[in-house]
Amino acid sequence: MSVSLLLVPLALAGAAAVQARADRRHDGVTVVQVNTRMRDVGLLADALRDTGAVVTTTTDVLTGSWGEQTLAFRRDADGVWSAHAAGMTTERAVELVTAVDTAYGRRVQQAVLERIRDRAPAAGLRLESESVQDDASVRLVFEVEQA
């Protein structure tokens, strides 16, 4: 008997609704805040690099820079990262966050695939085949091993 599993990239599963808010600071600079669904700092840093950003970190801020454009990510009380951009239009901030979110979704998919591959033998499953579909979904076919 075999089991087939299809993993759809997070970006295709339904992108999170992007909520952005722009406020003007006392010095006249517009600051845009874009909420995300991202929680894992390692996956977020990797996703930023995947989009070509130079990544720097401090104790509570993860920054991605694309030349002169910078997003500073900060965690809220629930551990979800939000992006903050100064001197950038709301549209551009949303565009950058959407690109990072797409890369983050691919990173989540890779991490889940790795965990499934690692844990399958303990569950009595042997990976028979793995294929990547046109939509970037991954089909895994496992053979159920008899005890």
Side-chain angles (χ1 to χ4, degrees):
M1 174 169 66
S2 64
V3 175
S4 183
L5 179 65
L6 183 66
L7 293 175
V8 178
L10 204 54
L12 293 177
V18 174
Q19 297 178 358
R21 186 182 81 225
D23 295 312
R24 192 168 301 280
R25 293 190 316 213
H26 68 290
D27 61 1
V29 174
T30 300
V31 178
V32 179
Q33 177 179 332
V34 183
N35 296 328
T36 77
R37 60 184 172 175
M38 298 176 259
R39 293 180 178 269
D40 186 288
V41 67
L43 295 178
L44 174 54
D46 288 341
L48 285 163
R49 287 184 196 94
D50 291 346
T51 63
V54 174
V55 178
T56 56
T57 59
T58 62
T59 305
D60 51 356
V61 178
L62 181 65
T63 303
S65 298
W66 299 263
E68 297 295 316
Q69 298 179 323
T70 299
L71 292 176
F73 288 83
R74 294 178 176 83
R75 281 193 176 175
D76 66 14
D78 295 325
V80 178
W81 294 92
S82 62
H84 304 262
M88 186 184 303
T89 66
T90 301
E91 293 78 16
R92 180 61 180 148
V94 168
E95 180 182 308
L96 284 172
V97 170
T98 301
V100 173
D101 184 73
T102 300
Y104 185 87
R106 286 191 298 269
R107 288 289 178 164
V108 169
Q109 182 188 40
Q110 291 169 1
V112 169
L113 280 167
E114 188 174 310
R115 269 188 253 132
I116 290 171
R117 286 187 207 107
D118 290 347
R119 295 177 183 174
L125 300 172
R126 181 173 35 86
L127 184 60
E128 285 289 313
S129 68
E130 179 175 331
S131 58
V132 178
Q133 310 303 309
D134 290 340
D135 65 357
S137 61
V138 178
R139 179 181 293 293
L140 302 170
V141 178
F142 294 94
E143 182 68 27
V144 178
E145 296 184 325
Q146 302 299 322

